[in-house]
Amino acid sequence: MGKQMTEMLKGTLEGIVLAILAGSPAYGYDITARLRDKGLTDIAEGTVYALLVRIEQRGLVDVEKRPSEKGPPRKVYSLNAQGGEYLEEFWKTWSFLSGRLEQLRNEGR
Amino acid sequence: MGKQMTEMLKGTLEGIVLAILAGSPAYGYDITARLRDKGLTDIAEGTVYALLVRIEQRGLVDVEKRPSEKGPPRKVYSLNAQGGEYLEEFWKTWSFLSGRLEQLRNEGR
DNA sequence: ATCACTACCTAGTGCTACTATGTAGTGGTA
DNA sequence: TACCACTACATAGTAGCACTAGGTAGTGAT
């Protein structure tokens, strides 16, 4: 992946995953697949699992273990109330930064 | 500053500074002040200087030393051709990510 | 002589995504 | 049986970036 994208994902990937979970609960392998569907093709599995461990430890998600017919049991993550608040904060932060950047881009024309 | 903002700036602050330099050449102290004007009030001076060293070493900017009436000599940075290309890449990367996030945000409503 | 402002610089820290690899379960196939 | 492909989770080590917390210099005002 491009180095720019790698750096830009720092701070945003977390929000992206939380937003996905806000849509519906999901497990790591599934989240990785969904990210690929969204065009974020090169996000490593390991990155997603590490991120999930982090947000779980921060109490932003609830976890439930469910058997799978096709492999090892799944760890299904769902956004809880605290995670919802955190996601709202994320959108605010992102809106602000996004606004500044859009402004800068328009000035350069 | 908020932790979310700190992480989100990784990868974007570089683009912001390059975009500022695309507008007109500037020196570190000045860039810091301009960032504050834009509402990015808590960006540390040290962060800006470290960033300038980095983009200079990568050959994205040209540097010229000019005397100041009010203090030590200024190091004036200006975007060169390579920096311009890099900035364009940055906008592409940012547009892509921005689009994905906007889409995710709208799905959640 | 001290303070405030201008102007630059750096060592150490924390956080995050990546690389690379490993472990386990299920089903198909040669 | 042995091997492969897919599903599913996990982790140790690395690189890169913003932050903290200082420091050095030059100029002018009180």
Side-chain angles (χ1 to χ4, degrees):
Chain A
M1 193 164 24
K3 214 192 94 204
Q4 286 185 338
M5 182 60 90
T6 292
E7 290 307 320
M8 224 179 278
L9 280 172
K10 293 181 181 176
T12 54
L13 183 57
E14 186 178 279
I16 291 171
V17 169
L18 290 175
I20 288 175
L21 294 181
S24 70
Y27 53 98
Y29 192 78
D30 185 32
I31 291 170
T32 305
R34 290 203 213 177
L35 290 171
R36 294 198 205 287
D37 286 346
K38 287 183 192 306
L40 298 163
T41 51
D42 290 322
I43 292 182
E45 258 193 287
T47 300
V48 175
Y49 286 111
L51 195 159
L52 289 172
V53 167
R54 235 156 49 217
I55 61 178
E56 182 187 354
Q57 282 173 348
R58 283 197 215 138
L60 306 179
V61 289
D62 295 329
V63 191
E64 194 191 345
K65 214 164 204 170
R66 284 191 215 161
S68 163
E69 318 82 34
K70 293 184 174 178
R74 297 165 175 164
K75 281 180 73 177
V76 178
Y77 295 81
S78 53
L79 201 69
N80 61 26
Q82 206 182 325
E85 285 175 35
Y86 190 86
L87 180 57
E88 264 195 58
E89 281 296 312
F90 170 81
W91 285 127
K92 281 183 198 164
T93 305
W94 188 72
S95 296
F96 175 78
L97 202 58
S98 179
R100 300 303 129 186
L101 275 160
E102 217 50 70
Q103 197 182 317
L104 263 173
R105 176 142 76 163
N106 292 331
E107 280 171 12
R109 286 175 181 174
Chain B
M1 193 162 24
K3 213 195 97 205
Q4 286 186 338
M5 183 61 90
T6 292
E7 291 306 321
M8 225 178 277
L9 281 171
K10 293 181 182 178
T12 54
L13 184 58
E14 186 177 278
I16 291 171
V17 169
L18 290 175
I20 287 175
L21 294 179
S24 71
Y27 53 97
Y29 192 80
D30 186 32
I31 291 170
T32 305
R34 289 204 213 177
L35 289 172
R36 295 198 204 288
D37 287 345
K38 287 186 191 303
L40 298 163
T41 51
D42 291 320
I43 291 181
E45 257 193 288
T47 300
V48 175
Y49 287 111
L51 195 159
L52 290 171
V53 167
R54 232 157 52 217
I55 60 179
E56 182 187 354
Q57 282 174 347
R58 283 199 215 137
L60 306 179
V61 290
D62 295 330
V63 190
E64 194 191 344
K65 213 163 204 171
R66 285 191 214 160
S68 162
E69 319 83 32
K70 293 184 176 179
R74 298 165 174 164
K75 281 179 74 175
V76 177
Y77 295 82
S78 53
L79 202 68
N80 61 26
Q82 205 181 326
E85 285 174 35
Y86 190 86
L87 180 57
E88 264 195 59
E89 282 295 314
F90 170 81
W91 285 128
K92 281 181 198 165
T93 305
W94 188 73
S95 296
F96 175 77
L97 202 57
S98 178
R100 299 302 130 186
L101 273 160
E102 218 50 72
Q103 197 183 317
L104 262 173
R105 176 140 77 161
N106 293 332
E107 281 171 11
R109 288 176 180 173

